[in-house]
Amino acid sequence: MEFNVTAVEDMKAEDYILYKTSTILNFITIIITVIGFIGNILAYLTANSMNMVSSTTTYMKCLAVADITSATQDGIISLGLRYYGIFVEDYSVIVCQIFFYWSAITSVIANWIVMSFTADRMVATVYPIYYRQKVNAGTARKVVLAITIFQCLFFAWFFYGYELDENKCRYKASIPEYVITIWSWFWIITMYAGIPAVVISICNLVIIISIRRRKKIGSKQEDKTASTESSITKLLLAVSTSFLFFTTIVACSYGLYQSTTGPTESDKATRAFFVTMTEMNAVMNNSFNFFLYVITGTVFRKAFINMITCKKQ
C-alpha cells in the first residue's frame, strides 16, 4: 500500500498509528517467514529421515514444500520486498500474471494438503485395518498431484485477468467491478478457507468421537503401531486446529479489507492494516507446523532428535 509522505504526516493520530502498526507487522512477518522457512526445511528432512514410507510422511514432506513456497511468496516477496518499496508484480505483464497466479495456487494447495492429511488421519482412526492394507505413500502422492493439477487449472484464468495499468499490476479494466468482488470473495471464502475448514472440522469431529468411543468401551492397543498412529493423530489435530484458527483470521481480515473503500489517506491506512493482517496470518499458517510437530508428535520429536544427533532410526 502506497502513501504520500506529506499525507502520512498530516494523518489523524489513530490513522498514523494504523499506518505505523502495519509497517511494524510487515517487518515481524518477514522474520516469521525466515523462521518458518527454516522450520519447514527441518520438517521435510525429519519426515524424510523417519523409518516410515507411508502416506503420513508423504503428506508431511509435501506440506513442508507447499508451506515453503507459500510463505516465501507471501512473506518475502509480497511483504518483504514491498517493505523496501520494490513491487515485483509491476515489472511486466507476464510477471504480473505469474505473481498473482503463483500466490493463489501455493496458498490454496498448502491448505488442501492439510485437508487431505486430516482425512487420511480420519480413515486411519476409524478404519485402521483398511488403512494399513490400502493406504500408502502412493495414495498420498496421487492425492497431492490431483490437488495440484486441479488448482493450477482453476486459477489459470489469472493469465487472462491481469494486466499493467499505468505501470501497476491490476485486474483488466474490461472486467466488471462486481465480477472481481464476487471472485475475490469466492476464492478466499471457499477455495482458501471454506472447503478445507468444513472438511477438516468434520474429520476432526469424527476422529475425536472415535477416540472417545474406544476409551469408553475400554479398547486398549499397546502395540508399537497403535502407539505411533496415536502420536501422529495428536500431531495432526494440533496442525489442523492451528489451520482453522489462522484461516479464520485471514478470511475475516480480508473481508474487512474488502469492505473498506474510499480514496482518503485514512482509508488507505485502514486497508493497509487489514492487508498486512491478512498476509501476516497467512504466513503464520504456513510457518508453525514444524514447531507443532515437535511439541505434539512424540514419534516426530524422536525422529528429529535422532536426525540432528546422527542416530539411526
Side-chain angles (χ1 to χ4, degrees):
M1 187 68 67
E2 295 178 281
F3 295 92
N4 178 283
V5 176
T6 304
V8 169
E9 293 174 351
D10 293 339
M11 277 183 179
K12 296 178 182 178
E14 59 269 25
D15 296 329
Y16 184 75
I17 290 173
L18 274 181
Y19 166 68
K20 295 302 291 184
T21 301
S22 299
T23 304
I24 294 170
L25 290 179
N26 279 349
F27 184 73
I28 293 173
T29 303
I30 296 170
I31 296 174
I32 293 173
T33 302
V34 174
I35 295 172
F37 188 89
I38 297 171
N40 281 313
I41 290 177
L42 291 175
Y44 181 92
L45 294 175
T46 303
N48 196 53
S49 71
M50 294 171 71
N51 190 22
M52 299 167 58
V53 181
S54 64
S55 61
T56 297
T57 54
T58 301
Y59 280 125
M60 281 184 174
K61 290 188 286 186
C62 290
L63 181 58
V65 173
D67 282 342
I68 288 172
T69 55
S70 182
T72 300
Q73 169 72 17
D74 291 334
I76 295 178
I77 299 178
S78 292
L79 290 180
L81 295 181
R82 289 179 190 177
Y83 184 81
Y84 294 101
I86 302 172
F87 295 82
V88 178
E89 65 272 26
D90 296 337
Y91 181 76
S92 68
V93 174
I94 188 63
V95 172
C96 163
Q97 294 166 341
I98 291 174
F99 179 88
F100 284 103
Y101 177 74
W102 186 251
S103 178
I105 64 171
T106 53
S107 59
V108 174
I109 287 173
N111 291 353
W112 281 50
I113 290 176
V114 175
M115 176 181 72
S116 302
F117 192 6
T118 309
D120 176 86
R121 283 293 89 202
M122 183 193 72
V123 175
T125 303
V126 180
Y127 306 106
I129 297 176
Y130 173 86
Y131 179 83
R132 294 176 192 177
Q133 292 176 346
K134 301 293 183 181
V135 182
N136 51 42
T139 307
R141 284 193 289 267
K142 290 175 184 177
V143 170
V144 173
L145 178 61
I147 289 172
T148 303
I149 293 173
F150 172 71
Q151 299 300 345
C152 286
L153 293 175
F154 184 81
F155 289 101
W157 81 275
F158 274 28
F159 289 100
Y160 162 79
Y162 280 89
E163 65 179 2
L164 285 184
D165 180 16
E166 298 180 351
N167 294 322
K168 292 293 179 183
C169 184
R170 297 188 177 100
Y171 282 110
K172 283 186 175 180
S174 58
I175 302 177
E177 187 67 31
Y178 74 89
V179 173
I180 296 174
T181 301
I182 292 174
W183 163 255
S184 299
W185 276 102
F186 174 77
W187 89 263
I188 286 290
I189 300 300
T190 60
M191 302 300 289
Y192 178 85
I195 294 175
V198 170
V199 173
I200 288 172
S201 298
I202 293 173
C203 289
N204 281 349
L205 181 62
V206 172
I207 289 171
I208 292 171
I209 291 174
S210 178
I211 292 174
R212 286 189 173 183
R213 185 175 296 171
R214 287 183 184 179
K215 288 183 177 180
K216 188 174 182 180
I217 63 176
S219 174
K220 293 183 179 180
Q221 296 178 330
E222 301 295 342
D223 60 279
K224 184 177 180 180
T225 301
S227 176
T228 300
E229 292 293 337
S230 176
S231 174
I232 294 172
T233 300
K234 291 177 182 178
L235 174 153
L236 183 278
L237 287 173
V239 170
S240 58
T241 300
S242 171
F243 165 85
L244 292 173
F245 175 77
F246 286 120
T247 52
T248 299
I249 296 178
V250 168
C252 292
S253 298
Y254 185 79
L256 291 170
Y257 160 73
Q258 287 285 5
S259 63
T260 305
T261 58
T264 67
E265 297 302 323
S266 177
D267 294 323
K268 290 182 181 180
T270 303
R271 286 199 297 273
F273 175 75
F274 287 129
V275 165
T276 303
M277 285 297 295
T278 300
E279 293 186 330
M280 181 179 182
N281 282 279
V283 166
M284 289 194 288
N285 184 41
N286 299 122
S287 299
F288 292 158
N289 285 341
F290 168 74
F291 305 101
L292 293 173
Y293 293 164
V294 171
I295 293 170
T296 61
T298 305
V299 174
F300 184 91
R301 185 165 58 249
K302 288 180 179 178
F304 174 66
I305 293 172
N306 288 339
M307 183 188 71
I308 61 177
T309 56
C310 300
K311 290 183 180 179
K312 290 184 178 180
Q313 295 293 324

